[in-house]
Amino acid sequence: MRIAVAAGPDGGGVLRPLADDGVPAGPAVPVPDLAAAVAAREPDAPRWVWPATARLYPALLRAGVRVARCHDLELTEALLVGHAGRHGEPRSVAAASARLRGEPVPGDPPPSAERPQRSLFDTGPEPDDIDRVVEVHADQRRRTAALPGFALLAAAESAGALVAAELAADGLPWSAARHDALLTERLGPRPAAGMRPKRLQDLADRIAAAFGSRVNPDSPAQLVKAFAAAGCPVSSTRAHVLKQTDHPAVPLLLEYKELARLHTAHGWAWLDAWVRDGRFRTEYIVGGVVSGRWAGHGGGALQIPRTLRRAVVADPGWKLVVADAAQLEPRVLAALAGDRAFADAAAHGDLYAALAGAFPSGGAVAPRDQAKLALLSAMYGGGTGDAAGLLAVLKQRFPDAFEYVETAARAGERGHLVRSLLGRTCPPPSAEWRALTSAGGDRAAAATRGRGRFTRNFVVQATAADWALALLGALRRRLTALGPPRLVFFQHDEVIVHTPAAFADAVAAAVPDAADEARDLLFPGTPVVFPMETSVVDCYADAK
């Protein structure tokens, strides 16, 4: 059963039952309290069809309502226009409906994070139109039915949107006291506004003494000038450049840079802005990267430095179950390519170790490391130096796997589109790229190779993103059955579940079960395994 949803002002809205193919199965029903109406119908396990999960679901969560399934029209429309080679076209219900009706297509409104909330359900400039919701959904059902795997992709993307909203609502357990202690340990006491922490100021003074003159360590221009005056010219103040420079200021400056990054990106100002009531909350953007990986809006949730993992602490009586997929992208390539020898190797725990026998021993680089370098070069486009010889070995021993990414690279170099297993599609090349590559010359060759490297990796990374979404959906369903455990973090191939200690073993068992389900959905019959390295800990830092 499907139910179309149109949010209106003041918390109300309109519902309309649909058949599975999108045809209306009953009249539209106005409801004065949309959250209450959804809660009343959720026990029937419908799939909610609504314009955008990121806009509607947070209001339901604030009202204490969680749903099991949905169809996100905006996310699905973005996938469909991308598949048609029109990446980036407006994806709103209004835009999709206008395309169907031959009307002028409006641009998309700004993301919800960039506009103030207007009501309980932030409907944007005007309330949702139930007729357009029904119309767009029916059209999407017709289009996805003609594309193998695409219905699963749309369902996985929509499930990911539910997870993203719930992650933001539940928040990642975060100890402000531990965070403050960590900053104090590394930087010194919290400084007054506008002042450097004591440790940074001490380093700044020592850097100035090493140069024999005052220099602002936060100013690349001043540093380059100071190095030149000291007879040690540098092209930039990047770490890899400084490490090749023999000057007493270098180790001080490298330490300063590291601590300054901590202070700027995750210092006391970050703590004040993003941690409330023992939780770090941010907005996750589903499909925020063209490969299908997520992005984040605010707080840098997807770039939490290893140092700060000490501040991620379970509540008393609770545990963190931390799990990540081992060697995910190489395993995805093994399953995609159908290379029997490669797939057999990927049926073991350590893929690189299993492939090591294909590479020579006795040299300066261990066979396992050679296997890793060869695979990464195949997926990311390296092919010079030692990697060239290793790629030749990979091509000889695992020809189908090698040819899979080579085919994607050649398609990209010709300006063609490539897709994930389920149909997620890369953006087409820009008009500037086409003009440049048609002109010939070294710059054209470099641009051609660059797009080949992009599409080579896209087919693997985008399929890995599809697998991760399937994992999230399968794990979320298992956690819902358990009750209290909550997903609280997701990053590419890693998840964290916050759970009462009594449920920790059940959660730890649910993770590999969900990984197996995701594998069977995408790669039925493959011998490739997708092991999840799982830890049950009190503190995130203890999981690694």
Side-chain angles (χ1 to χ4, degrees), residues 510-525:
V511 172
D513 287 348
D516 288 344
E517 180 179 329
R519 177 200 61 192
D520 295 341
L521 279 171
L522 269 68
F523 310 108

Side-chain angles (χ1 to χ4, degrees), residues 187-208 214-219 222-223 253 256 260 263-264 268:
L187 301 172
R190 181 171 185 165
M195 302 294 290
R196 287 193 182 104
K198 183 178 185 302
R199 180 59 181 156
L200 285 180
Q201 187 58 55
D202 289 347
L203 285 168
D205 293 341
R206 292 170 64 190
I207 290 167
R214 299 301 303 177
V215 59
N216 180 2
D218 296 312
S219 170
Q222 289 190 30
L223 289 170
L253 189 54
Y256 182 94
H263 177 53
T264 301
W268 288 280

Side-chain angles (χ1 to χ4, degrees), residues 119-141:
S119 64
L120 177 63
F121 292 94
D122 182 7
T123 58
E126 58 185 28
D128 296 327
D129 184 326
I130 191 66
D131 292 334
R132 290 185 185 264
V133 168
V134 171
E135 172 187 56
V136 170
H137 172 252
D139 177 64
Q140 289 183 355
R141 294 294 288 165

